[in-house]
Amino acid sequence: MLRSMGRRFFIVGLLVLLMFVPLFFAAEIVQGRKGFSASTIENVGREWGGAQILSGPQLVIPVERTVTRIGTRPQIDPDSGAVSVDAQGDMITVPFSEQVTEAAQAVFLYPEEFSADLTTTAQIRERGIFEVPVYQADADFRFDFNATAAATTLAEHETILWDKAYLRLFVSSNRALRGAAVLKNGDAAFTLEPFDRGNGIQALVGDPRDLGVFTLELEFNGAQYLRLAPVGRDSQISVKSDWPHPSFDGAFLPDEREISEAGFAASWRIPHLARALPQVAREDLDHAARNRFAFGVTYLRPNDFYQKAYRAARYGILFIALTFLTILLVEKGRDRPVHPVQYLLVGLAQSLFVLLMVAYAELIGFAAAYLLAAGATVALLTFYGWIGMHLGRRAFVLGAVLVVVYAVLYLILRSADYALLAGSTLAFMALALTMVATRNEDWFGPQEPKKDKSGFWGRSKPAETAAPDES
């Protein structure tokens, strides 16, 4: 490498930029592996029952209306029963007016008081090296309706078909349902059937005006997350589980929650003013209830090392730059500087650290994999600094810096909230130490002796020799 320290800094800077290429491909491999893992989790979860969203119950009351239909129709000869025609052979039509009864848009009612108590039991399913958290849920619903409010939505000539009222509950997948689903009103039990269209269950309940409080018991499987829509005028929902890593999300966060190694418990109470859905309507708003107001819990997998590894690849250029800078500073004053190829080898080793960490994390977890990959990388680079770059005892300085670098990187990966703070502080400290260490550096390097360029085309004149002494 060139003797000028300034030129060496410049070349090392170019080598750092070149390291973006292997880090980019390392990040792409991590993302590809993460996608494969997510696909496996989704497939196993779907086979088990899939992510569950429960919306309802909803009372649907059919409506019919009487309309007057006006038009024309062919005239029928009363004697022959044939269509009458005129002298030119054209069909003769006559006007008519009749009243017919047809189906109108149904009335949709949500409960007045709605409570749901859910208890889930989690377990781990495995496919290959991947682990998928799934759950089994027992749900107990209690609700009632103000059925008489349906009459306030009727238009002229419309009639409510009370005896044909039915109750329905939306579920994400009927394949997830397990055990017996029991719908009762007092001592009366109703037969539940699957939806005619879409996913869910329904039951014909008859005239709901004299019915009081309904109860519904439901068992189902699920994976990834569990969410419910707050359909009651007053909704009270509680979820208990033995899963110790919940993430509460959706439109509402729990009013109360407890999380421990033994599991979690959470409860919500949501008034109808918070969910902006009418109690009674002439259109089906269940889709809006699911998509805008559903909430619940996600069953997180601890140690999402793919995201950590991807962030490590993004921060990798900073740590490669710090390593190159350390080598450049500790080799200062040596007769034989480190070659650019050796810098590239060091950078490639640090790029492979990301892939090594992911490969082992899939088998032994993030913390152990990070310790193994970082330890192997630090040992390799320290050993290479000793025997390959001939740094001698200075290689231990390089090793100490690498230990600090990977320790800081671990802290960054463990806490995303403080990643920017730790990364920027480390970069600032490294720059400050470099400025102090090079405060007396001659960046232009030793100057070469000037040549006499007064000869032809700037070439130096040959030195004049003294004339021989003839005496």
Side-chain angles (χ1 to χ4, degrees), residues 379-439:
L380 173 63
L381 296 183
T382 303
F383 181 70
Y384 184 67
W386 181 282
I387 67 166
M389 294 182 285
H390 304 289
L391 296 178
R393 294 182 178 179
R394 300 181 183 184
F396 294 107
V397 177
L398 173 61
V401 171
L402 288 172
V403 169
V404 173
V405 164
Y406 283 102
V408 173
L409 178 59
Y410 181 79
L411 295 177
I412 290 176
L413 298 182
R414 293 291 295 183
S415 178
D417 295 337
Y418 299 101
L420 180 60
L421 175 63
S424 59
T425 301
L426 180 63
F428 181 81
M429 292 177 60
L431 179 60
L433 291 174
T434 303
M435 295 171 68
V436 172
T438 60
R439 62 189 182 278

Side-chain angles (χ1 to χ4, degrees), residues 64-121:
E64 65 180 13
R65 61 185 176 186
T66 302
V67 298
T68 301
R69 186 174 297 171
I70 299 175
T72 60
R73 57 189 175 192
Q75 177 177 294
I76 305 299
D77 189 313
D79 296 330
S80 63
V83 176
S84 301
V85 295
D86 56 17
Q88 288 76 29
D90 295 328
M91 180 178 62
I92 300 174
T93 59
V94 294
F96 76 95
S97 174
E98 62 180 1
Q99 289 187 330
V100 297
T101 301
E102 62 181 15
Q105 180 70 2
V107 179
F108 300 89
L109 286 92
Y110 278 129
E112 293 295 308
E113 299 289 334
F114 171 68
S115 66
D117 297 315
L118 294 95
T119 301
T120 70
T121 303

Side-chain angles (χ1 to χ4, degrees), residues 440-461:
N440 298 322
E441 186 63 47
D442 183 4
W443 295 102
F444 292 99
Q447 295 185 1
E448 299 178 357
K450 294 182 179 180
K451 297 180 180 180
D452 185 1
K453 298 182 179 181
S454 59
F456 185 69
W457 297 114
R459 290 181 295 178
S460 301
K461 289 183 179 180

Side-chain angles (χ1 to χ4, degrees), residues 190-408:
F190 303 94
T191 302
L192 288 163
E193 300 291 343
F195 269 4
D196 297 333
R197 297 182 297 274
N199 295 317
I201 54 177
Q202 62 185 15
L204 182 66
V205 298
D207 192 340
R209 289 174 293 183
D210 297 329
L211 299 178
V213 178
F214 289 86
T215 60
L216 173 63
E217 298 177 4
L218 197 64
E219 298 178 9
F220 57 91
N221 291 342
Q224 299 182 27
Y225 62 81
L226 169 62
R227 292 178 184 166
L228 296 92
V231 296
R233 179 178 290 275
D234 182 27
S235 300
Q236 300 184 55
I237 298 170
S238 66
V239 180
K240 296 180 180 180
S241 177
D242 58 355
W243 184 252
H245 308 288
S247 174
F248 302 105
D249 50 22
F252 305 96
L253 295 179
D255 300 318
E256 298 179 359
R257 63 177 184 176
E258 296 180 3
I259 303 174
S260 67
E261 291 299 322
F264 72 88
S267 62
W268 295 257
R269 182 165 186 173
I270 302 168
H272 73 287
L273 296 177
R275 60 175 172 79
L277 287 174
Q279 291 299 115
V280 55
R282 295 299 296 273
E283 59 177 324
D284 187 2
L285 300 174
D286 202 51
H287 182 76
R290 294 193 301 271
N291 289 275
R292 295 171 53 193
F293 304 110
F295 62 89
V297 58
T298 297
Y299 291 75
L300 285 179
R301 296 175 62 232
N303 295 331
D304 186 6
F305 47 80
Y306 292 111
Q307 185 64 25
K308 291 183 175 67
Y310 184 78
R311 287 167 52 204
R314 290 305 184 211
Y315 278 99
I317 194 66
L318 171 62
F319 299 103
I320 289 178
L322 292 176
T323 304
F324 284 9
L325 182 60
T326 301
I327 296 174
L328 184 62
L329 293 178
V330 300
E331 68 151 352
K332 187 174 63 172
R334 296 175 65 245
D335 294 334
R336 188 176 183 182
V338 175
H339 196 274
V341 173
Q342 294 176 303
Y343 278 98
L344 292 178
L345 292 175
V346 171
L348 290 175
Q350 291 185 289
S351 300
L352 287 175
F353 156 77
V354 177
L355 300 182
L356 195 65
M357 178 181 65
V358 171
Y360 282 101
E362 290 181 340
L363 300 175
I364 62 177
F366 171 73
Y370 187 93
L371 180 62
L372 179 62
T377 303
V378 171
L380 173 63
L381 296 183
T382 303
F383 181 70
Y384 184 67
W386 181 282
I387 67 166
M389 294 182 285
H390 304 289
L391 296 178
R393 294 182 178 179
R394 300 181 183 184
F396 294 107
V397 177
L398 173 61
V401 171
L402 288 172
V403 169
V404 173
V405 164
Y406 283 102
V408 173

